[in-house]
Amino acid sequence: MTDDHNFSPADEGLSPNPDIEITMEGSSEDGEQLHQDEGSEQEIDGEEVFGFESTDLGDDTNQVLDFERNGHDHSSEQMLEIQCGNLDNGIDRDTVIDDQNLVSGAKDYLPPVVGMEFESYDDAYNYYNCYAKELGFAIRVKSSWTKRNSKEKRGAVLCCNCEGFKTMKEASSRRKETRTGCLAMIRLRLVESNRWRVDEVKIEHNHPFDPERVQNCKSHKKMDPGSKRKLEPSVDVEVRTIKLYRTPVIDTVGNRSSNERESGNQVDQSKHLKLHQGEAEYISNFFGRLQLTNPNFFYVMDLNDEGHLRNVLWIDSRSRAAYGYFGDVVAIDTTCLSKSYNIPLLLFVGVDHHLQSILLACGFLVDETMETYIWLLRAWLSCMSGRPPQTVLTDRCKALQSAISEVFPRTHHHLYLPLVMQSILDKLEVGASKVFQDVLNRTVYNSLKADEFEMAWEEMIQHFGLRDHKWLQTYYEERERWAPVYLKDTFFAGLVTFPPGDCMSPFFDGYVNSQTTLKEFFNIYELVLQKKHQKEALDDLESRKYIPVLRTRCNYEVQLSEVYTKEIFLKFQVELELMSNCFNVTQIHANGPIITYVIKERDAEGDMNNARNFEVMYDKVGLEVRCICSCFNFRGYLCRHALQILTYNGIEDIPSQYILSRWRKDFKRLYAPDIGSNVIDVTNPVQWFDHLYRRAMQVVEEGMTSQDHYTVAWQAFKESLNKVRLVADRHVQ
């Protein structure tokens, strides 16, 4: 991947601001000052109200994670509640929004994640303090800052009490050493004058937990009565609320059409999914079963005031793990919504190392309002630990576009080019004309510069008499969202492909149609996923065994034949073969080590008269090369023009920055849940199960890579089981 949007500012990275007073509380266990980090803004900039409600359901076999809307005095504010039912079957497991090596157990306080927000600093402090007490460690304020003159609190770093080490003076005292240099912490920052946001989280500790000892620590002794009641409930059901705010809904009503929907944002709380008798229970049972067999499975249900299901989002553990490898570019597929299918299905889709579509999440939506899409995107982003994709591709739905700008403000959002092209052909009377199709394809795909595209577009509408076509004009006005000539600085990982028509098939292609019912969809859901996973495993095996026939004498071909998966190598090999059409390299500009070349290329028929010029910039120091065709950003590998310039400059191997790990066949991709920390509560059987399960799943994933791996893994399992049984036999004796 070319760019990860992880946010991890250093503790010392505080901007010198004359209006901020910074207080370091390095040795205090209960300092109350605040510190502020002036670093990057977190992408989750929306305002919501979340309530986490944890309910013990002794006779329930399923877990439900519900987002409920409750009425408030102000119409612009609503509350969401996440309800987690603890299973009473010896394997209690909360659905944890988890991507930070967490060990999930039946805990009342969810681990902190980036993007959490609180009504006040005290709420944030009390939450982390309660979470710490429950897990078995104490906290203190590591550093803080306030606004000068007004002394207004601006931010704080709350850390584990074992953070750092004693000073020389402190070390000479007789007090027992408790510092271990632990890095666990959360960074808080005041936003919009009334909310506190978690900007950074470090979960892992480097020491064992001791729940009994920490009861007497200062941070827990001074816990307010409300927090104590939450930790020590006198009834079976306890409710904890972390309040956030949602922005007011803007009323914009529009029309719906197949690919340019402008859904209204006025929310009708009485609306709910049109389900047939028994389908709601079917969904709940289906998710409950998946969660029992798939511990990292995640789902969220959005209910209206009457308890009817409005929206639902679900993600399995493999999709969550795959997002770590292929989450840089994501397409949101709303085909079922735009074409009024029986099931209001929405898909988050990516592309894997074999250029096959992969599923990153599924959802059912009650409508296409901006608020509904914001709910969906925030729920999905929370599951992905607050890391938004680098690029998002959608259709022309205005409500979805607005929601993306709200939830993913730093993500590149563009229209999915194959949908745009197909829509133009379907809407225009001349769309069926082969001549028009050729002209349109040339205009869109062959233009190298913006003015070249605009001139070609003008000639096209003039020639075919499309001057007064208002609908086509709206597409032209949005050209910077979909025309490749404007998107050269955005990475697409092959989701914008050339030539036209060479695009990925929908993920459920051939399985879902307009008449598919909800039960039929869930019946084939696991089957389709299983087939996709089997195909990926077979493609992995084929790529590892694949010995390609080399078609050139270029060293780049030998180099990448040993690295790329089969599918990627075959596409790259085409570029190598087309290097023979490139000739006449000319240097036109130099600025220090950066040189600009022009290289000529014959057309497909080899006609010299129609040769085109391509500008390529090359940095001799950084070994960086960039062609005006921007093949690397569109497809993820270098084009023939860039390869020719590298050859011209005597570079024998392609620089490593242009060999992406997402295309490598030797890159290990483990789709098991995160292993988590080795530091667990040895008195908690739930953590035993969770830790052992994750370790075992890692062995399973490794064991599937080859027959030799399988044999070793199976032998290891048998030996481990025999050893465990020996321990059990000793206890019996």
Side-chain angles (χ1 to χ4, degrees), residues 645-662:
I645 295 303
L646 290 177
T647 301
Y648 182 82
N649 282 273
I651 306 301
E652 295 184 355
D653 292 323
I654 293 177
S656 59
Q657 66 264 34
Y658 297 109
I659 306 175
L660 302 182
S661 61
R662 65 158 25 253

Side-chain angles (χ1 to χ4, degrees), residues 5-8 42 44 96-104 111-116 131 135 183-187 198-205 296 320 381-387 673-679 694:
H5 285 243
N6 290 325
F7 172 59
S8 182
Q42 169 64 19
I44 312 176
V96 179
I97 300 173
D98 164 17
D99 191 45
Q100 310 231 6
N101 293 328
L102 308 182
V103 177
S104 62
V113 293
V114 172
M116 271 186 172
Y131 162 74
L135 203 58
L183 298 177
M185 53 77 77
I186 64 171
R187 182 190 299 273
V198 177
D199 265 1
E200 183 181 7
V201 174
K202 293 182 181 177
I203 290 289
E204 289 206 24
H205 297 256
N296 225 23
R320 298 181 70 185
L381 190 59
S382 295
C383 174
M384 301 307 184
S385 298
R387 186 171 72 90
D674 291 335
I675 297 172
S677 170
N678 285 320
V679 181
R694 294 182 182 206

Side-chain angles (χ1 to χ4, degrees), residues 702-718:
E702 292 273 8
M704 292 171 60
T705 56
S706 72
Q707 185 174 350
D708 290 340
H709 284 76
Y710 164 78
T711 302
V712 172
W714 171 234
Q715 189 64 35
F717 272 134
K718 289 195 295 184

Side-chain angles (χ1 to χ4, degrees), residues 451-469:
D451 56 353
E452 191 177 325
F453 169 81
E454 291 163 6
M455 289 176 59
W457 184 275
E458 176 67 23
E459 291 176 3
M460 180 185 72
I461 62 173
Q462 180 71 27
H463 179 78
F464 291 98
L466 302 173
R467 175 74 58 194
D468 298 326
H469 203 296

